[in-house]
Structures are given as structure tokens and as C-alpha cells.
Amino acid sequence: RLCHAESGNAKGLSCSYHGWAFGVEGRLDAVPLEDAIYGPQFDRCKLGLREVPLVESYHGFIFACMDPQAPGLVEYLGDSAWYMDIWANVPGGVELLGPPARSIVHANWKSPTENFIGDSYHVGWTHAPALAGLMGGVPPHASFIGDDTCIQMTSRYGHGLGIFNQLGVAVLLHECPELAPWMERRAGEVAAARGPRAAGMFMGHWDASIFPNTSYLYGDHVFKVWHPLGPDRIEIMTWTIVEKDMPDDLKRRVQVATHRMFGTAGRLESDDLDNFEYATRPNRGFVTRQGELNL
């Protein structure tokens, strides 16, 4: 491992084991005692870092792929990009506030990715006690059903999302009431640029995944990456999504609110992580492994 920092910049990277030093473009620039240890046949040009063949950005979000034959980013995002434009293509753009919160969960990475592709079915049950404490009540399961209250979208390559019209930023308002008027003003601009239907989506609550391991909740302003560490272990990285034009104090308040809901010890995060672990753990058993998984 050459880079141990979450953020920052450097003129180069060096290995803490033997001191080989690489430039920022990946070239091997220096090897301690090169001549004495490796001799004149040593060719540094062949030992540079492996380049990521595909790197592209969409509204400032940088995606990379190690497969040079993979489709381009816009093609890969497909229909999901149209929806992402609604909240990411606002004047000034959006940014992620870090450093990210990090945690380890003993679950399979596909469970949270699948959950974030529009699983509002669990909300009225899994999160009922927390939502009752936060909002004084819980929407019944029926309120998550039907074209008038929510939409569901899935696209090729595995992306998908659900938008629930009746929740929006409500979960964050206990901690950050100033967020509501900001969103309402911005929704007017979205309506002028993209139409009233897009503005309605902008004010809704989103749960979405960009396959394979990136998810976001818009409304809760949460952005997550699920790093697989094996079949039953994930490192979770959590950022806060904010608009760049927001006042600094509002950004800070939104960040506090999102991490209290979906950070490492978040009120709603804890419910979900238990379920992800309990959905994974039984699959180690002999009897369970004789069955089939419908996912």
C-alpha cells in the first residue's frame, strides 16, 4: 500500500517497506541502493504502477474501472443518469463532505446495494421505533405503495432507485430545520429548468444504487460506498452530500444531521446493519446452502 491518507496531495508516493518511490503519474522514480542490489540490468521503466484504464467523471463524481473493454461512464449509467441530474446538476454543483465515516459490517456487499435500489418495503417495519421517536409517527406500509406516492426505476447494468414523494428531508429536520426552505427555493429552479415532475422528485426521498457498490439517499443527503472485504465482510464509507452554494453553517448542520441518521452509529443505520448481518449469517449453515437465493 502506497497511500495511507484519505485526502490531500503529494509530489509522489513511496513504499514504507523498501522505500521504492513513484511519481504521481505512476512511474518508478527511485529505488534505494539500486545499482548495488539490482545491478545494471534493472529496468525501472517496466515496474511502474498499474494504470487504471478507464477514469471518467459525472457531475464531479469520479468513477474508475480496471476493464479497458467496459462501456463509457455515460453509457454505463444509462437511464439512472437522468435521475441523478435532477439533484447533482444544480447551479454550482454538489460536493461530498469528508473525511468519510468508516465502519465494518459482517454482511455480503450485495445486501446493502440491493436494499438501496428502492426497498421502501422495510421502512415502516425496520425503522418504526426510530421514526416514531423522530417524527411522532410512522407512515403505514400502504403509504409506500402506488404510483401517486412513489416511483421505482431499474436500468441495465444493475442500477436502480426508488423515490418516495411524502418524506423528502423530513428525517433531517429535527437536527437541521434550515434545510427545508433551502430545498424549497431550489425546487423552484429545478421546476423552471426541468419541469414540475422533476421538481417533485427533487423534493422527495430517494434511495438509489449505482451498481455494483455505490449508493445514495437523497433527502437524507447520504452517499455511501460498500467495499467488499470478502463474502461476508464490508467496509462502509459514508459521506454527506451538500450543494456547493450552501452557506458553510448549513453544510455543517446537514453533515451533523446525516451522520446522526446514517453514520457509523446512526439511528437508522444501526437498524439496517443488523438486518444485513442477519441476512448473511444463516447462509453459512449446511441446510440453508442447499436452497436457492432469489435476489
Side-chain angles (χ1 to χ4, degrees):
R1 182 177 181 180
L2 298 177
C3 183
H4 297 265
E6 290 286 355
S7 61
N9 57 75
K11 295 180 180 179
L13 300 168
S14 61
C15 175
S16 60
Y17 196 10
H18 295 106
W20 287 26
F22 301 84
V24 291
E25 73 290 335
R27 184 183 63 245
L28 177 57
D29 285 339
V31 175
L33 302 174
E34 178 180 334
D35 291 337
I37 295 176
Y38 296 104
Q41 304 302 316
F42 185 74
D43 187 356
R44 277 191 268 135
C45 294
K46 296 180 179 180
L47 296 169
L49 301 180
R50 185 176 172 191
E51 184 176 1
V52 181
L54 295 180
V55 179
E56 295 186 45
S57 174
Y58 195 75
H59 296 312
F61 293 90
I62 300 171
F63 293 82
C65 182
M66 296 301 293
D67 180 4
Q69 304 303 318
L73 179 58
V74 172
E75 179 187 347
Y76 180 72
L77 291 174
D79 293 339
S80 65
W82 184 91
Y83 292 88
M84 192 174 176
D85 291 346
I86 292 173
W87 58 268
N89 193 26
V90 294
V94 296
E95 62 182 346
L96 300 182
L97 299 183
R102 309 175 79 112
S103 55
I104 301 290
V105 60
H106 295 279
N108 186 276
W109 64 269
K110 293 184 287 295
S111 293
T113 299
E114 191 260 355
N115 174 272
F116 274 62
I117 302 180
D119 186 353
S120 59
Y121 185 38
H122 79 286
V123 174
W125 184 262
T126 293
H127 301 304
L131 292 178
L134 288 166
M135 303 168 61
V138 185
H141 278 86
S143 67
F144 292 92
I145 300 171
D147 294 339
D148 293 336
T149 58
C150 46
I151 66 168
Q152 183 81 31
M153 187 283 294
T154 54
S155 69
R156 61 178 179 164
Y157 299 124
H159 321 311
L161 58 84
I163 304 175
F164 179 51
N165 299 334
Q166 300 179 12
L167 201 59
V169 298
V171 173
L172 300 186
L173 297 184
H174 179 74
E175 307 282 351
C176 187
E178 306 94 326
L179 182 58
W182 175 276
M183 297 290 290
E184 290 167 359
R185 288 195 301 270
R186 188 65 93 191
E189 299 175 10
V190 173
R194 305 180 65 84
R197 181 166 173 79
M201 295 179 188
F202 179 80
M203 291 298 293
H205 182 276
W206 301 47
D207 48 329
S209 284
I210 301 170
F211 192 82
N213 64 330
T214 299
S215 300
Y216 62 88
L217 298 174
Y218 201 72
D220 290 329
H221 287 62
V222 172
F223 191 92
K224 289 183 177 286
V225 176
W226 321 96
H227 285 299
L229 301 179
D232 58 357
R233 202 158 168 260
I234 314 168
E235 181 183 39
I236 306 172
M237 302 180 71
T238 304
W239 292 263
T240 299
I241 307 169
V242 296
E243 295 185 22
K244 291 182 180 179
D245 288 350
M246 285 180 173
D248 289 342
D249 183 62
L250 179 56
K251 290 181 182 180
R252 183 187 63 81
R253 296 285 297 276
V254 174
Q255 187 175 27
V256 169
T258 57
H259 281 284
R260 285 180 176 173
M261 291 298 128
F262 283 99
T264 299
R267 297 184 182 104
L268 302 181
E269 181 90 344
S270 302
D271 296 337
D272 288 328
L273 297 190
D274 274 352
N275 284 332
F276 298 155
E277 290 199 350
Y278 295 146
T280 301
R281 194 174 301 160
N283 293 293
R284 298 193 186 108
F286 175 80
V287 174
T288 304
R289 294 183 73 83
Q290 308 311 303
E292 295 180 352
L293 177 64
N294 181 9
L295 181 59

